[in-house]
Amino acid sequence: MSLLAVEMIVRRSLPALQAYDIAIYQRAQDGLGSADRPEIILMGSSRARFALDPSVFEEILGRSAYNVALSGSKVVEWSVLVRRLFEDYTPRAVVIGINAGEVRAEYLPTEAALHLFEFDDLRESIYTDGFSLDVVGAYARRSLGPWCKTYDHRYEILSWGQERLAAVLPKHAQLARELRERAAAPRPPSGYDHPWSHGRRLKDLLQKEMDDYLSEREFHIPHHRPDASTFVRLNNLLHELQGRGIRVVVAYIPNSPRTEERWRDVEARMIGQIARTCRAQGVLFLHWDQAQMPRSDQDYLDETHVGWPLACELSRRIAEQIESLALLEDPTPSARLASSEVEP
């Protein structure tokens, strides 16, 4: 009876609790649904969220663009999103910003199971990725969420309580307040919002290193297996997009020099595997190494997220490649690309 009473109180308090819910997956889908359907979709994880600036693509290509990249997502989440977003809408092109960290062999789609999976998606995951209690548990939470609001909104309850205990927990209250403000902020019309673009020049990676802000455990080195399910997923995603008649470009989002040094034994092999996967599907793969596009730790927010000037440069190069190959005008770009050598 006590648990039932708590559950009823939480249900009555949902409007206040939802003020702390970022709901990034839902906002990404709602953003596309409420805007004019863009011709170019930019997708990926938080790396692509910062690195792919729609305004640069629009300026060079003269076509509308929208960034749906989601923090914490990997190829599995992108595949499910493609089915959701493009169910009744087909963009002209999709640019996928990818990194070695997003095809790591040890990745399990718990984020997808928690936010996106239906039962058929879970069954496919077990078949493709293998059985995982973490994935099944995340799906169970998604499925049981409507029945147990107390558990489903436990983090929002925590944030609500912390903000009201500001006199006792000032730091926690500040974090809760910032979370609420982020949740209330509308998604930008283009889906893109880099903190440096607002003049808020936060500390770059070099400054953080000098302040001993970073630790070696951040962004641990990914494991690589050519037969990993993440590469199977990438192959299937490219095949599905092209099957829908969508032009596809895959662009590698470079890590900071600090991370490249730490990942040097594995990253080159993973880039090569991504390139081979793209080539097998006749998809253009773009990658610029340090010599082709010089960069330093000052160009990065942290180990893997690019700062705004580098984001603009990277977006410009991708857009110019699309323009030079006339990918948006050619009705059959895959046939031409399949016969060309696309190397990292």
Side-chain angles (χ1 to χ4, degrees), residues 17 27 29 41 45 55 68 78 93 136 169 183 214 224 255 278 293 306 320 329:
L17 296 177
R27 293 180 75 180
Q29 297 177 75
I41 293 295
S45 71
S55 66
V68 297
W78 308 342
V136 173
L169 302 171
L214 300 167
H224 171 54
N255 292 314
C278 292
M293 187 167 64
V306 305
E320 287 177 349
E329 284 71 31

Side-chain angles (χ1 to χ4, degrees), residues 17-49:
L17 296 177
Q18 288 173 340
Y20 299 90
D21 185 6
I22 296 294
I24 57 172
Y25 286 88
Q26 189 59 47
R27 293 180 75 180
Q29 297 177 75
D30 292 346
L32 265 184
S34 62
D36 293 335
R37 297 297 175 88
E39 295 182 83
I40 303 171
I41 293 295
L42 313 173
M43 65 189 313
S45 71
S46 58
R47 293 175 172 90
R49 177 186 165 203

Side-chain angles (χ1 to χ4, degrees), residues 65-258:
Y66 189 86
N67 188 316
V68 297
L70 298 169
S71 299
S73 64
K74 302 289 187 295
V75 183
V76 183
E77 287 81 5
W78 308 342
S79 298
V80 180
L81 269 177
V82 161
R83 298 172 201 162
R84 302 282 192 276
L85 297 177
F86 304 153
E87 188 174 8
D88 58 353
Y89 150 65
T90 302
R92 183 175 291 270
V94 166
V95 177
I96 300 174
I98 198 167
N99 181 272
E102 291 146 7
V103 286
R104 57 176 69 239
E106 70 272 26
Y107 177 71
L108 290 173
T110 51
E111 284 288 312
L114 179 60
H115 297 287
L116 296 169
F117 271 8
E118 301 300 340
F119 182 73
D120 287 344
D121 300 311
L122 177 65
R123 184 171 55 188
E124 179 190 9
S125 175
I126 293 174
Y127 176 79
T128 304
D129 310 310
F131 180 81
S132 166
L133 282 176
D134 289 337
V135 173
V136 173
Y139 175 77
R141 181 191 161 191
R142 170 179 167 81
S143 302
L144 296 175
W147 300 97
C148 186
K149 297 293 185 183
T150 303
Y151 181 76
D152 194 43
H153 291 275
R154 62 194 186 280
Y155 296 116
E156 289 84 351
I157 295 171
L158 178 63
S159 297
W160 181 88
Q162 288 173 336
E163 190 165 2
R164 274 143 191 82
L165 292 174
V168 182
L169 302 171
K171 291 184 179 180
H172 292 82
Q174 176 64 24
L175 292 175
R177 184 160 49 251
E178 291 175 359
L179 179 65
R180 176 169 51 79
E181 292 171 353
R182 283 176 55 203
R187 190 176 179 91
S190 65
Y192 184 77
D193 187 24
H194 196 293
W196 287 6
S197 66
H198 302 296
R200 292 163 48 208
R201 179 77 184 199
L202 306 179
K203 285 187 176 182
D204 58 46
L205 178 58
L206 182 61
Q207 291 170 321
K208 290 177 180 178
E209 285 184 296
M210 294 173 64
D211 293 344
D212 293 326
Y213 179 83
L214 300 167
S215 65
E216 286 298 321
R217 64 178 179 81
E218 293 188 2
F219 300 106
H220 67 278
I221 300 171
H223 297 161
H224 171 54
R225 287 201 329 268
D227 61 344
S229 64
T230 48
F231 285 109
V232 174
R233 292 281 195 175
L234 177 60
N235 183 78
N236 293 343
L237 171 61
L238 301 179
H239 180 76
E240 179 171 354
L241 285 168
Q242 295 204 109
R244 293 173 179 265
I246 301 171
R247 284 78 162 169
V248 187
V249 174
V250 177
Y252 193 79
I253 308 299
N255 292 314
S256 66
R258 181 182 195 269

